[in-house]
Amino acid sequence: MESIKQIYRIGHGPSSSHTMGPMRAAQMFLEKHPEAASFEVTLYGSLAATGKGHMTDEAILNVLRPVAPTTIHWEPKVFLPFHPNGMLFEAFDTEGKKLDSWTIYSIGGGTLANETYNEQTTNEVYKMHYIRDILKWCEDTGYSYWEYVEQCEGKEIWDYLAEVWEVMQEAVRRGLESEGILPGGLGIRRKASDYMIRARGYGSSIKSRGMVYAYALAVSEENACGGKIVTAPTCGSCGVMPAVLYHLKETREFRDSRILRALATAGLFGNVVRTNASVSGAEVGCQGEVGVACAMAAAAASQLFGGTAAQVEYAAEMGLEHHLGLTCDPVCGLVQIPCIERNAFAAARALDANTFSNFSDGRHRVSFDQVVEVMQQTGNDLPSLYKETSEGGLAKKYNVEHM
Ligand code: SF4
């Protein structure tokens, strides 16, 4: 299992698989062929189906077009066998002769892979790939999840997580300050600052919940505007972790050092899903994005509240279990409806999962690893119209009735 840095990628939204991954792929192809006179890029499957709304073309053209003329072709009906998010890059010389071609896939969270290259397995940092093994190690040795992260990654991981935490907090603050309409044509107004103002007028418990919503909306709205965020584990689900952590810092005054340890533990849980299943909406639906974000945030909250290793695992398990089957059906291919509100609800649910788990002794029937396996199977069983193609669910209904 590779570094948790792959779960927490710092970059610009709105989509890790549809903007961050393709942009990096374009940069890699350009580095191989800086002499090319022109480029052609073909987008396949889910990447083509929702690429316009997710700004995939802009992400690629911003890299290639300053160097040479670039044409993008869209093939939403063609699904390549390796992964639904396929891309073909082709470079040509001045006579139109093909210099090279490269098929690569954006497999979720900004990671790239194909039949011969896989960023997910190239750098093995963690020997244990399952929470059951890590949990047993914690119970046998007395160490915590975050200490396992430190032992595998080295102390440098704290500098990286400090940067992650800073970018997350900046995204919350920027989102709370911003007003206006989100780009893309749906005419959706930013809501975060309104929610914050209204929440402040209520008594403690409703205010507390309202502020969690406001923080999640703030970051997800920033993402929808192409702002700087951290994948956790993806752009579409980037509001959940910051909302929970920012809220706990504000209300419980947890020190940053403890927040970083919570980020480490959450990253470990996200990493296990990424390794053994998927965090790609195009592959398993939104259960792999917002569901996993909820599991990570639940684990982080449980640790901050002093949960045992078993309670942390239980909180994460619930965070994911109760998102099983969640489809990905973004309206007009934009990361807005249902994505933005869904982040707010998942943040609240993560806090509930923490409370539920911490009331227990941590013993429960279904393990986190089992839920991850079920999530992958459920994702395999979901038809492609519910996996980031915007052909089913809300995307279809809203288009038919309102567009
Ligand atoms: S519905 Fe979920 S998986 Fe799909 S784009 Fe929105 S956040 Fe991502």
Side-chain angles (χ1 to χ4, degrees):
M1 195 159 76
E2 65 178 327
S3 170
I4 61 168
K5 291 178 186 171
Q6 304 300 324
I7 281 285
Y8 297 125
R9 283 181 194 271
I10 297 168
H12 289 263
S15 169
S16 40
S17 59
H18 284 55
T19 48
M20 279 189 194
M23 181 186 283
R24 287 182 48 246
Q27 283 161 345
M28 288 163 78
F29 194 64
L30 179 60
E31 274 169 28
K32 266 180 87 185
H33 297 289
E35 79 290 3
S38 66
F39 294 104
E40 294 200 13
V41 183
T42 309
L43 304 175
Y44 295 99
S46 297
L47 209 51
T50 51
K52 285 231 162 70
H54 284 46
M55 304 186 211
T56 307
D57 47 349
E58 276 183 47
I60 292 171
L61 291 173
N62 284 344
V63 175
L64 299 180
R65 217 169 238 174
V67 178
T70 303
T71 311
I72 298 211
H73 307 285
W74 304 83
E75 294 287 356
K77 302 282 180 216
V78 181
F79 282 78
L80 304 184
F82 187 84
H83 191 277
N85 287 337
M87 292 169 273
L88 169 67
F89 286 86
E90 295 172 292
F92 299 88
D93 67 13
T94 45
E95 267 126 46
K97 194 173 140 234
K98 196 187 292 183
L99 298 170
D100 192 15
S101 65
W102 184 46
T103 303
I104 188 78
Y105 303 83
S106 183
I107 64 171
T111 305
L112 299 170
N114 63 19
E115 290 79 357
T116 56
Y117 171 80
N118 191 336
E119 290 179 336
Q120 194 154 297
T121 51
T122 43
N123 301 310
E124 178 96 344
V125 172
Y126 295 89
K127 285 212 163 61
M128 290 188 270
H129 296 188
Y130 292 95
I131 291 296
R132 62 172 177 264
D133 298 328
I134 304 169
L135 171 60
K136 183 170 182 313
W137 176 86
C138 289
E139 288 176 340
D140 289 349
T141 61
Y143 284 121
S144 301
Y145 295 106
W146 64 265
E147 287 167 305
Y148 179 58
V149 171
E150 185 185 72
Q151 288 187 18
C152 295
E153 304 252 9
K155 289 199 185 301
E156 313 81 69
I157 193 63
W158 302 119
D159 290 339
Y160 186 76
L161 291 177
E163 190 185 351
V164 161
W165 179 223
E166 196 47 48
V167 175
M168 284 182 169
Q169 292 179 93
E170 280 167 11
V172 172
R173 293 183 201 120
R174 261 197 334 269
L176 290 174
E177 286 297 315
S178 305
E179 293 178 290
I181 304 283
L182 299 176
L186 283 176
I188 297 174
R189 285 197 71 76
R190 284 179 178 252
K191 297 192 188 96
S193 68
D194 289 352
Y195 271 59
M196 177 181 67
I197 290 160
R198 286 183 193 137
R200 282 178 175 161
Y202 281 89
S204 60
S205 77
I206 295 182
K207 176 181 170 187
S208 168
R209 188 48 53 105
M211 294 304 281
V212 173
Y213 295 156
Y215 300 146
L217 293 173
V219 179
S220 293
E221 287 168 358
E222 277 298 293
N223 179 62
C225 292
K228 189 175 179 187
I229 51 84
V230 184
T231 63
T234 63
C235 289
S237 57
C238 69
V240 182
M241 279 287 293
V244 168
L245 294 177
Y246 199 88
H247 169 69
L248 294 180
K249 183 180 172 181
E250 291 286 299
T251 56
R252 308 283 171 153
E253 295 174 6
F254 286 117
R255 288 204 313 274
D256 280 345
S257 57
R258 297 196 64 189
I259 301 271
L260 300 193
R261 291 175 197 152
L263 273 167
T265 293
L268 190 61
F269 278 80
N271 220 6
V272 164
V273 183
R274 189 169 173 275
T275 304
N276 300 329
S278 171
V279 295
S280 162
E283 204 176 343
V284 295
C286 199
Q287 51 176 356
E289 295 203 15
V290 170
V292 174
C294 182
M296 290 169 63
S302 178
Q303 178 173 297
L304 283 166
F305 280 105
T308 63
Q311 286 172 320
V312 170
E313 188 262 359
Y314 188 19
E317 185 274 323
M318 272 185 288
L320 184 54
E321 180 181 336
H322 302 302
H323 283 97
L324 283 177
L326 191 65
T327 58
C328 170
D329 53 357
V331 169
C332 296
L334 297 163
V335 192
Q336 296 181 14
I337 303 173
C339 321
I340 294 174
E341 283 180 6
R342 189 168 284 175
N343 275 257
F345 279 87
R349 189 179 269 193
L351 290 166
D352 287 342
N354 161 57
T355 306
F356 202 96
S357 161
N358 282 1
F359 280 175
S360 80
D361 61 5
R363 278 185 293 183
H364 58 110
R365 295 295 177 97
V366 180
S367 72
F368 182 78
D369 292 321
Q370 286 172 321
V371 169
V372 171
E373 209 180 315
V374 170
M375 186 202 76
Q376 178 67 52
Q377 188 56 52
T378 306
N380 294 347
D381 295 340
L382 277 177
S384 68
L385 69 162
Y386 296 121
K387 293 191 278 194
E388 214 164 357
T389 54
S390 286
E391 289 180 349
L394 283 172
K396 186 175 175 192
K397 187 78 178 159
Y398 192 86
N399 275 330
V400 168
E401 292 188 350
H402 299 274
M403 301 300 285

